[in-house]
């Protein structure tokens, strides 16, 4: 296991890497960092894969966004830039939370660059209104998204009481899981750095932006698109972030013409790569071997 760098143009991203072989990019979400995958990367690398976990855009000082919004399409272009930097023709993607969203979008826009996708904890949401039909509880689950739309107030609330909202979200989203406190402390420490928290919240503030080219491409470009990459999606049946009905009713085979496997885990929440480590490693390796 070692640290390195990867570039998209002139922008440099820090990475954690292990192994050699076909590249597997691990994309983290919020509130988290790239070390969330350490405990699953090494066993996967031992089977002949080069596992790379970048710090996602906005989560370190040299990639802080000066825009109040970060668009999904821009984050997809980061993946493409990383591939050019390393001369990779195609990669496998493993994404959790926002990392899953970016993985699906990459499979829509640049399917020839992706061999397989593993999505953790987030379904493919093409029509948000359908989520309220199949899972009206999702309205309550998504309260934080509304909070995050409010600049300054959201940052103030998150920072209050030593970032206690971070603790609350991990507990609310994975109610039966006791997270590693060293990991939580490191997440909080990163958000104390100037500009990092607002950049992380910029992911959420892009959701209805139709006023920029990148915003329109991120929203409208995905509505009629398919994920033309073999995809597996894992979810917890006790996830407090995304209700299980969203996975069970909104994931359609027609949106994944090259194959969809979805598996729900009982007594498991949103951070299932921590909660079901061994099972997740086994299933990821099966998928990687199938689509090498």
């Amino acid at each position: 296991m070692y640290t390195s760098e990867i570039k998209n143009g002139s922008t440099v991203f820090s990475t954690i890497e292990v192994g050699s072989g076909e590249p597997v990019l691990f994309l983290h979400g919020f509130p988290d960092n790239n070390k969330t995958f350490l405990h699953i990367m090494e066993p996967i690398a031992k089977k002949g894969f080069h596992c790379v976990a970048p710090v996602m855009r906005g989560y370190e000082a040299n990639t802080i966004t000066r825009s109040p919004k970060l668009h999904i399409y821009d984050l997809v272009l980061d993946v493409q830039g990383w591939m050019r930097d390393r001369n990779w023709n195609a990669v496998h993607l493993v994404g959790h939370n926002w990392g899953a969203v970016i993985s699906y979008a990459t499979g829509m826009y640049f399917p020839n660059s992706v061999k397989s996708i593993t999505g953790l904890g987030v379904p493919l949401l093409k029509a948000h209104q359908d989520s309220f039909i199949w899972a009206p509880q999702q309205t309550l689950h998504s309260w934080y998204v509304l909070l995050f739309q409010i600049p300054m107030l959201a940052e103030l609330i998150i920072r209050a009481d030593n970032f206690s909202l971070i603790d609350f979200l991990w507990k609310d989203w994975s109610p039966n899981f006791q997270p590693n406190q060293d990991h939580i402390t490191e997440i909080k420490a990163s958000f104390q750095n100037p500009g990092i928290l607002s950049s992380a919240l910029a992911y959420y503030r892009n959701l209805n932006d139709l006023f920029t080219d990148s915003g329109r491409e991120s929203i409208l470009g995905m509505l009629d698109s398919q994920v033309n990459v073999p995809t597996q999606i894992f979810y917890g049946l006790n996830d407090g972030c995304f209700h299980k009905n969203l996975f069970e009713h909104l994931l359609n085979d027609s949106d994944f013409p090259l194959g969809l496997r979805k598996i729900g885990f009982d007594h498991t929440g949103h951070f299932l790569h921590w909660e079901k480590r061994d099972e997740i490693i086994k299933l990821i390796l099966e998928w990687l071997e199938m689509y090498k």
Side-chain angles (χ1 to χ4, degrees):
M1 193 83 65
Y2 59 94
T3 59
S4 187
E5 295 178 341
I6 198 167
K7 296 179 180 179
N8 177 12
S10 61
T11 305
V12 179
F13 299 77
S14 302
T15 65
I16 297 171
E17 309 189 23
V18 61
S20 61
E22 290 194 6
V24 185
L25 279 171
F26 290 78
L27 311 181
H28 71 84
F30 178 92
D32 214 343
N33 62 32
N34 62 333
K35 293 183 180 179
T36 194
F37 296 115
L38 291 185
H39 59 293
I40 67 173
M41 286 170 59
E42 193 149 14
I44 292 171
K46 287 179 178 178
K47 298 298 183 179
F49 295 94
H50 180 193
C51 296
V52 180
V55 177
M56 300 301 290
R57 180 176 289 274
Y59 281 77
E60 56 186 341
N62 51 315
T63 67
I64 288 176
T65 176
R66 302 304 172 190
S67 168
K69 299 181 180 182
L70 267 174
H71 300 115
I72 294 170
Y73 187 67
D74 294 328
L75 299 164
V76 168
L77 293 180
D78 279 338
V79 175
Q80 298 302 298
W82 299 336
M83 293 178 63
R84 287 191 298 273
D85 182 55
R86 295 292 182 91
N87 293 314
W88 293 332
N89 293 321
V91 298
H92 303 273
L93 296 177
V94 177
H96 175 251
N97 190 266
W98 273 106
V101 175
I102 297 161
S103 297
Y104 305 147
T106 304
M108 290 177 167
Y109 289 111
F110 301 99
N112 292 335
S113 70
V114 185
K115 290 188 175 183
S116 75
I117 293 172
T118 297
L120 302 170
V122 177
L124 176 67
L125 290 174
K126 294 173 67 175
H128 295 287
Q129 65 271 17
D130 290 346
S131 66
F132 301 112
I133 297 173
W134 288 107
Q137 307 93 325
Q138 189 60 39
T139 305
L140 298 177
H141 285 347
S142 298
W143 63 268
Y144 64 94
V145 177
L146 298 178
L147 169 63
F148 292 171
Q149 304 306 307
I150 309 172
M152 298 179 65
L153 177 63
E155 283 87 340
L156 182 66
I157 291 174
I158 293 172
R159 288 195 179 98
D161 193 21
N162 188 31
F163 291 86
S164 62
L165 185 61
I166 303 298
D167 299 298
F168 176 82
L169 290 176
W170 274 72
K171 183 63 176 176
D172 186 52
W173 293 357
S174 281
N176 301 319
F177 174 61
Q178 293 296 325
N180 180 297
Q181 286 305 308
D182 289 340
H183 184 64
I184 299 297
T185 297
E186 189 163 344
I187 294 168
K188 292 179 179 181
S190 71
F191 288 149
Q192 289 175 347
N193 294 318
I196 300 294
L197 179 57
S198 293
S199 281
L201 295 179
Y203 286 61
Y204 293 93
R205 293 168 179 166
N206 72 13
L207 295 177
N208 295 301
D209 180 16
L210 294 174
F211 297 102
T212 64
D213 290 341
S214 182
R216 286 190 294 273
E217 184 65 32
S218 297
I219 298 169
L220 300 178
M222 294 176 63
L223 291 180
D224 296 319
S225 299
Q226 296 173 315
V227 181
N228 284 297
V229 175
T231 301
Q232 60 176 354
I233 299 177
F234 305 142
Y235 58 99
L237 298 181
N238 299 104
D239 191 333
C241 182
F242 284 97
H243 193 273
K244 64 181 181 180
N245 284 1
L246 300 185
F247 299 90
E248 295 172 356
H249 296 291
L250 295 187
L251 288 175
N252 300 313
D253 290 341
S254 60
D255 289 324
F256 302 88
L258 296 187
L260 169 66
R261 174 166 77 169
K262 59 180 179 179
I263 299 175
F265 293 85
D266 202 6
H267 307 296
T268 306
H270 188 63
F271 297 95
L272 62 167
H273 57 299
W274 288 84
E275 300 171 73
K276 298 293 184 181
R277 172 187 179 273
D278 293 341
E279 295 94 323
I280 295 297
I281 290 170
K282 178 177 180 291
L283 290 166
I284 290 176
L285 280 171
E286 284 179 5
W287 207 245
L288 296 177
E289 291 290 345
M290 195 178 306
Y291 295 105
K292 286 177 70 174

